[in-house]
Amino acid sequence: MTPAAPTVPATTAAAERPTRRRRHGRLLARLAHLVGVLVLVTLAATALVDLLPGSPAATILGPTATAEAIAELEAETGYDRPLPERYATWLGNALTGDLGSSVQSNRPVLEQILDRVPVTLELTVLALVMALAAAVPAALLAAHREGGPADRAATGLASGLLSVPVFVAGVLLIYAFAVVTGWFPVSGWSPLSDGLVDNLAFAFLPALALAIGEAPGFYRLLRGDLVHTLHQDFVRTAEVRGLPRRYVLLRHALRPSSFSLLTVAAMTFGRLLAGSVVVESLFALPGLGALALQAIPARDLPLIQGIVALVAVVYVVVNMVVDAAYAVLDPRVRAA
Amino acid sequence: MSTGTGTAVATPVAKRRPALWLALGWLGLVVLLALTADLLPLPAPDEPVGAPSLAPFAPDGPLLGTDPIGRSVASRLVHGARLSLLVGLSATLIAAVVGTALGLCAAYLRGAAERVIALVTDSLLAFPPLLVLLALAAVVRPGLTTLAVSLGLLFVPAFTRLSKALAVVEMGREYVLAARVLGASGPRMLTRELLPVCLAPVAAYAVVVLATIMVIEGSLSFLGVGIPPPAASWGSMIAGGKDFLFDAPYLIALPCLAIFATVFALNTAGDWFRGLTARGER
């Protein structure tokens, strides 16, 4: 959700060629950094409980709870223990796949989360596909004639859509395509196992609402990179050779211009897994975000802690994979 | 973790002038209304003033109609603007001040301090803001202060990265070297040499961050975990109206329009400001 920071021109980094040893050292430092991030993130999720005023167990169970029930829950969850001990226990259990059990339903947290992941995952993938399917052709069209009517129309539309919050987009989509025309169901979900058509009917509007939020960013990024690439010498060379514009755009310019888009799309994927709370709540979808939202009034802390930790870990891992993929795709990164 | 290395493409400022003036005008209006909310001849935002769900410009109702429990829409819009602005501005201020300070320190001190700062900011970045705020809402009662502080902290890394990147470039310049050779102290280097360079880009970025934070505040209110009712917020107005879409679509129209116009105006102003500071650097 963080807006893209303005790019800062890098200083002329001394063109040093890394030796293999130095490269290994850097890789190790990077790995240590990531492990540190993972520890801090999960520790913060564990420390969440300490923000509760008074005894967590008493707060969770409410004012009518008996002293025995409170003591029992404390023994079960370990909320009366100091933070380092709690964290060590949680980490040990988490590494063996045990995230504790929900206070509400007593079911294992991991099981509950895995139940909800397919919905959120499908929504995320659909939204990404929609956003890219709109942004890439639009960017190609716009960069083809920089400053032309198509460019101005698409760029204007993008900056307009960029300012539509997801909940506004969602409500307007429901109004236009469910309430007024009745083309799609207002809310609800039908699992993929009950048939593709029904499933897509329920998934389409929420995914579109998410895509509207992401597509303008994708468009702006790719258009900027394309324009930059199209001004380079090798493109001019290709044009002088008499290659058709379409061929130059697709075969020469698109590939070197798509690195930042790929990075951002992958990071968006990680972010949407957690960020679809609003859409899931609006369309009443049984996803991960809805699960988190349900856990709040019940103060189901083990469940919330599990979701926050899992999402943060997924985000860190996705970032790591993106970093690695970036190095494989773009040889310049390997040397830098 | 790498961010995209997108190339900033300068937008022609002159061509966007009308949109820019509109944006600045709207922002001025919103700020003015929010500041003078108590002086305006409006009914209280949390008490019924007429029949429920009256359409705007209805002959016997308040000017912009009433919400599903009969409260004045005009009053709730204005008080919602005040709330959003208050949360957004204080959170942005916290994020900008803390983030810039950390970024400058990281660029100036390098070494272990830089690594620790990177560790903390990367960890903060790993948390999806909305989810963290949801988790916090389960633990502490959401109020103006908690909301502003937690939103502010979540946006610290953005400013840290920006100011660090800017300061690292400056650290290599002659005038910084000259100051150092002349024996300038650490605090002096940070505030007199590095800070002035970062101020304009940070301020330009803050405008865009403000828009993002206002959207998150709206999302939280929409989910019912923002500032608790009966306080008015654009997000909760939309949430309250969405169940009456079929009979009274106008209930969501005005708050939707208000939040879109404000975010759009902030983005437009931020882009323009950013273009200006980028040109100044060249």
Side-chain angles (χ1 to χ4, degrees), chain B residues 9-82:
Chain B
V9 175
T11 21
V13 174
K15 274 190 192 160
R16 306 185 57 174
R17 274 279 153 81
L20 178 66
W21 285 117
L22 256 157
L24 293 179
W26 171 257
L27 287 179
L29 181 71
V30 171
V31 170
L32 189 72
L33 286 176
L35 282 177
T36 58
D38 291 332
L39 306 173
L40 295 173
L42 287 171
D46 47 6
E47 272 163 30
V49 291
S53 300
L54 282 176
F57 310 113
D60 50 346
L63 183 62
L64 295 180
T66 55
D67 75 352
I69 38 180
R71 298 173 295 196
S72 156
V73 167
S75 171
R76 289 183 73 73
L77 276 177
V78 169
H79 281 88
R82 166 185 260 191

Side-chain angles (χ1 to χ4, degrees), chain A residues 99 109 113 288 291-292 295 302-312, chain B residues 131:
Chain A
L99 293 177
V109 167
I113 293 179
L288 205 54
L291 185 67
L303 187 56
I304 295 176
Q305 183 186 346
I307 297 175
V308 171
L310 198 79
V311 164
Chain B
L131 198 62

Side-chain angles (χ1 to χ4, degrees), chain B residues 170-193:
Chain B
E170 291 310 305
M171 285 297 286
R173 298 252 158 100
E174 280 89 357
Y175 76 92
V176 176
L177 187 66
R180 190 176 260 193
V181 170
L182 287 170
S185 65
R188 195 196 149 88
M189 290 286 292
L190 288 174
T191 54
R192 292 290 183 80
E193 308 295 338

Side-chain angles (χ1 to χ4, degrees), chain A residues 1 3 7 9 30 33 40-41 51-52 159-160 163 167 171 175 179 220 225 274 281-282 296 299 304 319 323 326, chain B residues 1-2 5-7 122-123 127-128 134-136 138-139 169 205 212 216 219 223 242 246 249 252 260 264 267 271:
Chain A
M1 230 170 255
T7 45
R30 185 110 196 92
H33 178 77
L40 270 188
V41 161
L51 289 174
L52 267 181
S159 57
S163 309
F167 56 96
V171 169
Y175 180 66
V179 174
R220 279 187 159 195
D225 285 359
S281 148
L282 177 58
I296 291 171
R299 298 189 179 242
I304 295 176
N319 266 288
D323 266 6
Y326 209 59
Chain B
M1 270 154 265
S2 74
T5 49
T7 335
D122 278 359
S123 305
F127 286 117
L134 286 184
L136 273 179
V139 177
V169 175
Y205 188 41
T212 313
I216 297 184
S219 312
L223 291 172
K242 74 171 196 291
F246 193 76
I252 59 147
F260 167 74
F264 185 69
N267 281 337
D271 279 356

Side-chain angles (χ1 to χ4, degrees), chain A residues 147-325:
Chain A
D151 186 13
R152 268 181 295 166
T155 304
L157 184 67
S159 57
L161 287 181
L162 202 63
S163 309
V164 181
V166 170
F167 56 96
V168 171
V171 169
L172 293 181
L173 284 176
I174 290 184
Y175 180 66
F177 295 111
V179 174
V180 173
T181 57
W183 291 345
F184 291 95
V186 173
S187 65
W189 185 253
S190 162
L192 200 52
S193 50
D194 289 1
L196 181 69
V197 177
D198 273 0
N199 173 261
L200 283 182
F202 280 107
F204 183 77
L205 285 185
L208 187 60
L210 285 176
I212 286 176
E214 304 301 332
F218 291 170
Y219 164 81
R220 279 187 159 195
L221 194 65
L222 183 61
R223 182 200 167 273
D225 285 359
L226 270 173
V227 165
H228 181 73
T229 310
L230 286 174
H231 281 296
Q232 292 193 351
D233 288 344
F234 73 90
V235 170
R236 182 156 308 159
T237 311
E239 271 169 358
V240 170
R241 275 169 62 207
L243 295 174
R245 180 73 170 171
R246 175 196 293 261
Y247 187 87
V248 174
L249 263 175
L250 292 178
R251 301 301 298 268
H252 284 72
L254 184 58
R255 200 185 135 147
S257 309
S258 54
F259 288 124
S260 349
L261 180 65
L262 283 181
T263 319
V264 169
M267 276 163 43
T268 305
F269 178 78
R271 201 162 41 72
L272 278 185
L273 280 182
S276 50
V277 191
V278 172
V279 162
E280 285 176 17
S281 148
L282 177 58
F283 288 88
L285 307 180
L288 205 54
L291 185 67
L293 202 58
Q294 280 168 18
I296 291 171
R299 298 189 179 242
D300 198 338
L301 291 174
L303 187 56
I304 295 176
Q305 183 186 346
I307 297 175
V308 171
L310 198 79
V311 164
V313 168
V314 167
Y315 184 82
V316 172
V317 171
V318 166
N319 266 288
M320 199 169 67
V321 173
V322 167
D323 266 6

Side-chain angles (χ1 to χ4, degrees), chain B residues 21-280:
Chain B
W21 285 117
L22 256 157
L24 293 179
W26 171 257
L27 287 179
L29 181 71
V30 171
V31 170
L32 189 72
L33 286 176
L35 282 177
T36 58
D38 291 332
L39 306 173
L40 295 173
L42 287 171
D46 47 6
E47 272 163 30
V49 291
S53 300
L54 282 176
F57 310 113
D60 50 346
L63 183 62
L64 295 180
T66 55
D67 75 352
I69 38 180
R71 298 173 295 196
S72 156
V73 167
S75 171
R76 289 183 73 73
L77 276 177
V78 169
H79 281 88
R82 166 185 260 191
L83 187 97
S84 285
L85 277 181
L86 202 58
V87 170
L89 284 175
S90 28
T92 309
L93 195 68
I94 293 173
V97 170
V98 177
T100 309
L102 283 178
L104 292 185
C105 287
Y108 178 71
L109 297 171
R110 306 310 288 254
E114 185 188 3
R115 277 198 292 276
V116 171
I117 290 174
L119 190 67
V120 173
T121 48
D122 278 359
S123 305
L124 274 174
L125 269 185
F127 286 117
L130 207 53
L131 198 62
V132 174
L133 292 164
L134 286 184
L136 273 179
V139 177
V140 283
R141 198 167 176 274
L144 232 154
T145 325
T146 32
L147 208 55
V149 170
S150 41
L151 270 170
L153 286 181
L154 286 168
F155 280 87
V156 160
F159 286 98
T160 306
R161 290 187 160 193
L162 173 63
S163 58
K164 185 185 150 192
L166 288 163
V168 163
V169 175
E170 291 310 305
M171 285 297 286
R173 298 252 158 100
E174 280 89 357
Y175 76 92
V176 176
L177 187 66
R180 190 176 260 193
V181 170
L182 287 170
S185 65
R188 195 196 149 88
M189 290 286 292
L190 288 174
T191 54
R192 292 290 183 80
E193 308 295 338
L194 296 180
L195 184 61
V197 188
C198 300
L199 273 185
V202 163
Y205 188 41
V207 178
V208 187
V209 169
L210 175 61
T212 313
I213 289 184
M214 284 178 76
V215 169
I216 297 184
E217 187 273 323
S219 312
L220 283 172
S221 300
F222 179 80
L223 291 172
V225 290
I227 304 274
S233 158
W234 293 344
S236 59
M237 289 176 79
I238 298 173
K242 74 171 196 291
D243 298 332
F244 304 91
L245 272 181
F246 193 76
D247 301 315
Y250 48 81
L251 282 176
I252 59 147
L254 285 173
C256 278
L257 208 62
I259 196 162
F260 167 74
T262 309
V263 173
F264 185 69
L266 282 172
N267 281 337
T268 307
D271 279 356
W272 166 75
F273 198 0
R274 200 186 276 186
L276 272 193
T277 57
R279 281 205 301 182

